[in-house]
Amino acid sequence: MVDYRSMWTDLDLDLEKHDMLLQVLPSMYESTFLGQENRPEAMEYFDFVVGEIHGLRLKELMDHKASGGKVIGLYCVFVPEDLIMAAGAIPVGLCAGTQFSVPDAEEVLPRNTCALIKSSFGFKLGRTCPYVQASDLLIGETTCDGKKKMYEILAQYHPTYVMEVPQKKTPLGRELFLEELRGLKAKLEAESGVAITAERLAEATAVVEAKRRALQRLHDIRRARPVPISGLDALLVTQVSFYDDSVRFAEKVNALCEELEGRTARGEGAAPADASRILVSGSPMAIPNWKLHRILEDSGALVVGEESCTGTRYFSYLVAESDGSLDAQLGAIADRQLDTHCACFTPNDERIEDILTLARDWAVDGVVHYNLQFCHTFANEAVKVEKALAEENIPFLRIESDYSDEDMGQLKTRVDAFLEMIR
Ligand code: BJ8
């Protein structure tokens, strides 16, 4: 086994705490994923990438830095990866999904803050995430209030740049966002010393969109009955997309899709054809947040889709054709990003439409709305989601949770009762 300790030391990780994190993750992964029956063979790659999350992939980033490139950390799908890549930098999604770093964050942030914000901030404060440590710059965004105020504090610990995201998708909002993209471009050029040209940006967009297309293909495969892949595995694939090499990742997802298409042709499923089909909607599930999917699938249901930023909100949108000039490409990227129907927008009726479309087209038996505790945007929007689903007679369950294991029993009881009702 390769020893990465000197790399971690160079990154100024708190090695003692980091060791504790590395002790927790493998057993958690093993019990969640490796016990699933009849997993697709192509999932081996994703098992490997997760196994090397603090090893080989990090080494690739460090090699990139050693050859003069930059690593840029981000926390939201609103920050366009292609713009970062066009500056010769590697983007890494940093949204954190573990309770491990929450106590560190609570030494500074109020406890009644969303777990996703606390987890990401705690990783910096505790120096336990090598990706944050490796990032030359962190890019935040003005989505929810909790995040934008956290970034102000984060900036005291790590170079941080915040881009503004409008609250309304009006022509004025688009203008503002486009101007923000121009500002981000200038910041990335200054950071990397690389001029972002129309050619470089077009190339980077093609890479990002090949990755999105591969994820769309996987998402489409999940319409089949029986579904050839578990929701847990499909969620994992999307989570890995935020930090793996984009070109290699797209290849591996397409290889997985080929295997799954073969399974579907043979009528093979990850669960019996009559398993309850569930759409999960709401707050993103950053790696290693597998809690809800695990409860649902342990209870005999199958998750067939995620209306989430670790799901359709990440990969559904592509840029429209443009005249190829730099400004036209930036405009097309602005439009693509503004298609992301995050609950931070008002109004956000397109998200309700998306949920209804997914529920119909993926033939779901019920929708589980997942809300991170203290996330007010998704919690309030759930009221409208529930009403719209009720009008279509689609069963709905609202779950609010954090990253701790304390509510596992209670959640399981509620999920079991919901599945019983659906059946
Ligand atoms: S585009 S969903 S990734 S902001 S869960 S931190 S909203 S209090 S994560 Fe998000 Fe971008 Fe929107 Fe997607 Fe705040 Fe809510 Fe926490 Fe959230």
Side-chain angles (χ1 to χ4, degrees):
M1 196 171 150
V2 190
D3 187 0
Y4 294 111
R5 286 188 92 75
S6 66
M7 179 170 72
W8 298 333
T9 307
D10 292 345
L11 285 169
D12 193 28
L13 282 180
D14 180 331
L15 291 181
E16 213 176 301
K17 260 195 203 165
H18 184 247
D19 281 350
M20 284 157 62
L21 176 63
L22 293 190
Q23 274 165 20
V24 184
L25 282 177
S27 59
M28 185 179 171
Y29 190 79
E30 214 176 298
S31 65
T32 308
F33 288 93
L34 304 187
Q36 297 178 95
E37 279 173 26
N38 194 23
R39 280 182 93 210
E41 276 175 28
M43 283 309 295
E44 253 177 47
Y45 170 74
F46 301 94
D47 292 340
F48 173 74
V49 174
V50 176
E52 287 292 332
I53 192 166
H54 287 196
L56 208 54
R57 178 59 184 147
L58 195 66
K59 168 96 175 39
E60 289 178 345
L61 298 186
M62 298 311 286
D63 289 347
H64 176 72
K65 281 162 75 84
S67 63
K70 300 287 176 187
V71 171
I72 308 287
L74 36 127
Y75 295 94
C76 172
V77 298
F78 257 96
V79 180
E81 297 163 277
D82 27 10
L83 204 52
I84 295 170
M85 288 172 169
I90 298 180
V92 280
L94 293 173
C95 264
T98 168
Q99 178 66 19
F100 181 83
S101 51
V102 167
D104 279 329
E106 286 179 344
E107 285 178 21
V108 175
L109 301 181
R111 289 176 69 99
N112 58 352
T113 300
C114 143
L116 195 145
I117 297 174
K118 286 192 287 195
S119 182
S120 43
F121 181 72
F123 269 129
K124 178 62 222 178
L125 207 63
R127 291 185 288 113
T128 42
C129 174
Y131 288 86
V132 179
Q133 298 300 104
S135 294
D136 297 287
L137 180 69
L138 303 175
I139 302 181
E141 75 310 320
T142 59
T143 45
C144 73
D145 289 350
K147 262 181 163 180
K148 69 187 174 215
K149 298 317 280 184
M150 180 272 276
Y151 295 139
E152 289 178 21
I153 307 170
L154 185 66
Q156 296 167 8
Y157 298 86
H158 205 100
T160 303
Y161 175 87
V162 178
M163 65 179 292
E164 184 158 357
V165 176
Q167 305 271 290
K168 290 172 112 180
K169 293 175 185 174
T170 55
L172 201 61
R174 182 189 186 270
E175 251 332 286
L176 180 145
F177 190 57
L178 183 54
E179 200 47 43
E180 283 296 306
L181 290 183
R182 293 185 188 117
L184 178 63
K185 172 183 166 287
K187 176 70 185 170
L188 290 167
E189 288 177 329
E191 184 71 29
S192 64
V194 174
I196 297 177
T197 60
E199 292 69 32
R200 290 186 71 94
L201 185 55
E203 221 172 275
T205 297
V207 169
V208 167
E209 303 217 334
K211 169 164 83 164
R212 288 179 183 219
R213 282 202 174 86
L215 287 166
Q216 287 174 7
R217 182 177 171 191
L218 174 61
H219 175 57
D220 235 42
I221 285 171
R222 296 165 80 193
R223 289 181 196 229
R225 189 183 292 262
V227 192
I229 183 168
S230 69
L232 267 168
D233 279 335
L235 172 65
L236 180 75
V237 171
T238 311
Q239 290 171 331
V240 167
S241 73
F242 290 100
Y243 72 93
D244 196 11
D245 173 78
S246 295
V247 174
R248 180 177 59 209
F249 174 85
E251 273 170 28
K252 297 295 181 183
V253 176
N254 280 317
L256 170 66
C257 290
E258 264 155 48
E259 185 183 344
L260 297 177
E261 282 156 1
R263 282 183 160 211
T264 296
R266 294 190 298 277
E268 288 172 24
D274 62 355
S276 298
R277 299 167 66 90
I278 300 296
L279 172 70
V280 170
S281 166
S283 307
M285 294 168 170
I287 198 166
N289 180 7
W290 305 305
K291 191 171 165 180
L292 181 59
H293 278 54
R294 185 163 181 190
I295 293 173
L296 281 161
E297 297 198 335
D298 279 355
S299 297
L302 205 108
V303 179
V304 298
E306 293 82 23
E307 187 282 316
S308 158
C309 287
T310 41
T312 53
R313 289 203 299 270
Y314 172 58
F315 56 71
S316 294
Y317 315 106
L318 305 174
V319 293
E321 287 278 321
S322 72
D323 66 17
S325 68
L326 195 53
D327 217 50
Q329 287 188 61
L330 284 177
I333 289 174
D335 292 333
R336 180 192 67 196
Q337 303 302 100
L338 288 172
D339 265 339
T340 312
H341 306 311
C342 172
C344 296
F345 284 95
T346 185
N348 192 35
D349 295 336
E350 297 96 331
R351 177 169 168 243
I352 317 276
E353 283 307 314
D354 284 351
I355 296 169
L356 289 172
T357 304
L358 285 166
R360 285 185 211 115
D361 294 356
W362 269 252
V364 308
D365 299 304
V367 173
V368 177
H369 193 275
Y370 173 71
N371 204 125
L372 279 171
Q373 209 180 10
F374 309 120
C375 172
H376 306 308
T377 49
F378 280 98
N380 281 291
E381 201 157 276
V383 175
K384 290 178 88 174
V385 175
E386 182 166 17
K387 185 165 176 284
L389 290 169
E391 282 165 8
E392 302 245 343
N393 289 322
I394 300 168
F396 175 86
L397 175 68
R398 196 194 292 203
I399 294 282
E400 186 162 290
S401 186
D402 58 14
Y403 293 163
S404 72
D405 285 338
E406 283 164 21
D407 58 355
M408 288 288 275
Q410 190 209 7
L411 290 182
K412 183 155 175 34
T413 307
R414 292 191 58 213
V415 162
D416 282 342
F418 180 64
L419 295 177
E420 193 53 44
M421 188 263 287
I422 289 177
R423 283 182 204 120

